[in-house]
Amino acid sequence: MIRHPRITSRHLRAWGNTHRPPLPPSLTAFRSELLDRVRPNAPMPETRPVLFPWAPVALMGAAVLILIIAPPTPPTLTATRASPLTTSLPAPTSKKRLPDQGAAEMALALRAPEMPHADASPQVSERTFGQPAGLAQSSRPSPLPAVLRACSAALLLILAIIQVLRWRRPRATS
Amino acid sequence: MPDIPLRSPTTAAEESALCTRARQGDRAAVRALFDCYAQRLYGYLLHTLRDPQLASDCFQQTWLRAIEQFPRFEDRGASFGAWLFTIARNECRQHWRRRTNEPLDAITHDVPVPSPQHAIANAIEIERVLTQLHEDDRELLRLRYLADLPVATIARTLGIRTATAHVRIHRALRRARRLL
């Protein structure tokens, strides 16, 4: 690389000086016009009051509310209406039917509508069939609501940060 | 308020005081600011736009906009020069937006050149190198050596950090030397 001796800061300054010509007459006249536009003793412009940034605070509050007020629901077991005939009766032990068994079944069938739900307890059915037959399939809730909540809160927080940054940024000049 | 002749500001504190007075409508303060920056701004616009008439128009637009928006100017560490040259750059951009096919031919304006022969040769050589540089480098060197702005003011004008402006000017100079 060959360094040219003439292109230094000093020479660039000299070059800059040559490119700063005096103002043409039209611009000299413009100077007077410009000064006429300046209103002497003009009142100080009303300075815009610096308001507290409520918008980001509101956004952050909404994010916190989403996370706190609606916490992720733990998996709950909800008992459903199960037939007492299939859940509460023990499995038949012998092929020989007792004479009173038919009457008992009939009585149970007739009592079934009036029976409280507590009779069809999951414990009984679980003990009987090895699986909670009276439970709904919502025992393992989908993680989607929690993800949605987290995403919403994150989005609100990001918006709040943007608002704060915009509030702190100096105003555009033109 | 009587027009008291003021000298051009030499320090940032003086310039800030002038800006405060100018915002209150002090003509003398506006005149001092005008006299301080007019020639440099005109030279910058002349070299950027390469058309004396266009440079005059942009010059007037820049100052009119500056006076119009002076109440909005807030001295948040940015000098008046940075603010003024930002407006001027925006005016140039608007012009280029209107005329997308901007010719990049040789300078057509009449620039008074110093009489010594070597200075003319230097100016021509530098001009040739500048035309080969990237526009970003050319803009930096223009603001630094033609508009004669401090590096901090250039940084404010371009919206970059002062250290970054230092580095970019240094690199632009290095690239200019390579082109010779």
Side-chain angles (χ1 to χ4, degrees), chain A residues 4 6-7 9 11-13 15-16 18-21 31 35 37-40 42 44 170-171 173-174, chain B residues 24-25 27 31 35 39 43 64 69 74 76 83 90 111-112 114 122 127 130 144-146 173 177 180:
Chain A
H4 201 285
R6 284 180 296 181
I7 191 145
S9 296
H11 287 97
L12 277 167
R13 279 184 208 287
W15 164 81
T18 64
H19 283 72
R20 258 180 260 134
R31 176 177 179 260
L35 292 177
R37 286 174 178 262
V38 179
R39 290 172 297 172
M44 282 291 284
R171 215 174 296 161
T173 52
S174 62
Chain B
Q24 295 171 356
R27 284 185 182 173
R31 183 191 300 162
D35 291 343
Q39 202 171 345
L64 286 175
Q69 297 191 354
E74 294 174 9
R76 291 180 176 175
W83 187 63
N90 287 339
V111 176
N122 272 345
E127 197 61 49
L130 284 180
R144 182 75 185 99
Y145 298 108
L146 203 155
L173 273 174
R177 288 187 186 118
L180 282 170

Side-chain angles (χ1 to χ4, degrees), chain A residues 32-43:
Chain A
S32 304
E33 293 175 17
L34 185 77
L35 292 177
D36 287 341
R37 286 174 178 262
V38 179
R39 290 172 297 172
N41 293 324

